[in-house]
Amino acid sequence: MTVDALATRFASFRRPFKLMVTGGGTGGHTYPALTAVREMQTVMHHHGASVDVLWVGTATGLESRVAPAEGIPFETVPTGKLRRSSNPLKMINAENMRDVGRVPKGVLEARTIARRFQADVILSTGGYVAVPVGFAARATKTPLVIHEQTVRLGLANRVLARSATAVALSSENSLSLLPDSVAAAAVVTGNPVRPTVLTGDPAKAVPALGMTGYDPDLPTVYITGGAQGSEQINGVIRENLPWLLSVANVIHQCGPNWVEGRCSADRRQGHRVRAAGRPGTSSVRPTAPGDDGGSGALNGQARRCAQAGRTPVERRAQSESLRQRQ
């Protein structure tokens, strides 16, 4: 059944469609859920129907800030994080044992919430909080839809996939990685993207982000990472930032821990750094000494300083160019 058909059906029922959402911890799980909620509300409203949404997450995850800020009712349940290791013996530690003990309590609390809310569907976008809520969906016989943002299913979605009513995938490459029983319920939907991401206005974004030295003639590169891969991405960008800034406007979004370390390092090197905060993330915009502004797009003087140096990427590109000329 399409969303439009669902909306038409509930409009005739004269009652709201009740959607329970879970998922979070990081932006990779939180914002796809938020986008799905907003799109469902838009479609339902277009057909004369409405949606009652309840978001269930953890008290400390990103979702605990995003959902209330977006006006979405929010309740918390306890859950635990499994700290994995290539050595199974190292997984037997006090932190894992403590967190594993929280999951049953989270299932009981999630089941109570699910029974009280009486959702038509529970949508899970992953993260550790999805496990107790997914088990609650099974206990209350509520249809469960899970969404995976990466090619390989995350641990929480792997646990829940076999009991899910539908499995939404971001990539067709994921299909061949699923067991047959799970693949039968899978559909490739892509990754939900907020419309505002695709309809931005650079003229408004530049002052809103506090960017100085923005060059409209250059392409703008937005860089972000997630989960365990973000540290490697941040390191590569930091190493090659001078060269990147010589050919593009750069906005680098990263987590607060990386911002703090990066600010300290840049200040030791004589650079000023401005960090623009967003829920759970920060955009770091290094500026050259003497530049009063803060932006990933350096001003003219800073660009000349950046061009004077050669990073490993630029040296490799230059060597390749020389080989082609020879």
Side-chain angles (χ1 to χ4, degrees):
M1 178 181 293
T2 66
V3 176
D4 290 282
L6 184 66
T8 302
R9 179 180 178 183
F10 272 85
S12 67
F13 287 172
R14 299 186 182 278
R15 74 167 180 86
F17 176 77
K18 307 193 75 171
L19 175 66
M20 181 184 290
V21 179
T22 188
T26 64
H29 298 302
T30 303
Y31 286 108
L34 175 62
T35 304
V37 168
R38 292 301 184 221
E39 182 63 19
M40 177 68 76
Q41 290 173 328
T42 299
V43 173
M44 288 289 190
H45 178 75
H46 177 74
H47 289 275
S50 60
V51 184
D52 281 351
V53 181
L54 176 64
W55 197 316
V56 180
T58 65
T60 58
L62 177 61
E63 69 277 13
S64 67
R65 301 189 295 277
V66 170
E70 292 289 332
I72 299 173
F74 182 79
E75 295 197 34
T76 64
V77 296
T79 190
K81 176 180 180 180
L82 179 62
R83 297 157 186 83
R84 286 169 282 182
S85 171
S86 56
N87 183 352
L89 293 178
K90 291 185 178 180
M91 295 175 62
I92 305 175
N93 54 62
E95 289 181 322
N96 275 347
M97 295 301 101
R98 179 195 62 208
D99 278 10
V100 166
R102 291 175 176 167
V103 176
K105 186 173 186 293
V107 173
L108 292 175
E109 293 188 17
R111 186 179 64 180
T112 299
I113 294 172
R115 284 177 173 168
R116 183 179 71 246
F117 186 66
Q118 295 184 337
D120 293 295
V121 172
I122 294 178
L123 170 65
S124 167
T125 56
Y128 292 102
V129 70
V131 174
V133 180
F135 285 164
R138 183 189 305 175
T140 58
K141 298 182 179 180
T142 305
L144 172 66
V145 177
I146 66 173
H147 180 271
E148 178 56 50
Q149 298 84 46
T150 60
V151 174
R152 293 183 180 275
L153 267 62
L155 179 58
N157 279 344
R158 290 203 302 272
V159 171
L160 300 175
R162 294 184 183 277
S163 61
T165 306
V167 178
L169 304 173
S170 297
S171 171
E172 290 187 5
N173 295 329
S174 302
L175 290 170
S176 61
L177 303 176
L178 301 177
D180 291 341
S181 59
V182 175
V187 58
V188 179
T189 62
N191 214 0
V193 178
R194 285 167 288 170
T196 52
V197 174
L198 305 176
T199 59
D201 184 350
K204 294 180 180 179
V206 171
L209 293 173
M211 297 174 67
T212 61
Y214 174 79
D215 188 343
D217 295 326
L218 290 177
T220 297
V221 180
Y222 171 74
I223 303 162
T224 186
Q228 301 304 312
S230 57
E231 184 174 353
Q232 287 83 353
I233 292 173
N234 292 343
V236 169
I237 296 306
R238 178 180 177 80
E239 181 183 5
N240 296 284
L241 187 59
W243 172 74
L244 282 171
L245 290 169
S246 71
V247 297
N249 304 300
V250 177
I251 302 173
H252 184 193
Q253 181 179 10
C254 46
N257 291 338
W258 180 265
V259 171
E260 183 178 352
R262 178 169 174 174
C263 286
S264 299
D266 281 344
R267 290 191 183 101
R268 287 196 298 269
Q269 296 176 15
H271 294 89
R272 277 205 291 266
V273 173
R274 176 177 297 174
R278 293 290 185 273
T281 58
S282 297
S283 293
V284 180
R285 308 184 183 97
T287 62
D291 181 12
D292 292 333
S295 167
L298 296 186
N299 65 5
Q301 178 183 1
R303 284 188 183 282
R304 288 191 292 274
C305 292
Q307 291 169 346
R310 294 295 183 208
T311 67
V313 168
E314 190 171 11
R315 287 196 295 269
R316 287 194 293 271
Q318 187 177 37
S319 298
E320 180 63 27
S321 177
L322 290 173
R323 283 197 295 272
Q324 291 176 353
R325 292 175 185 175
Q326 293 172 351

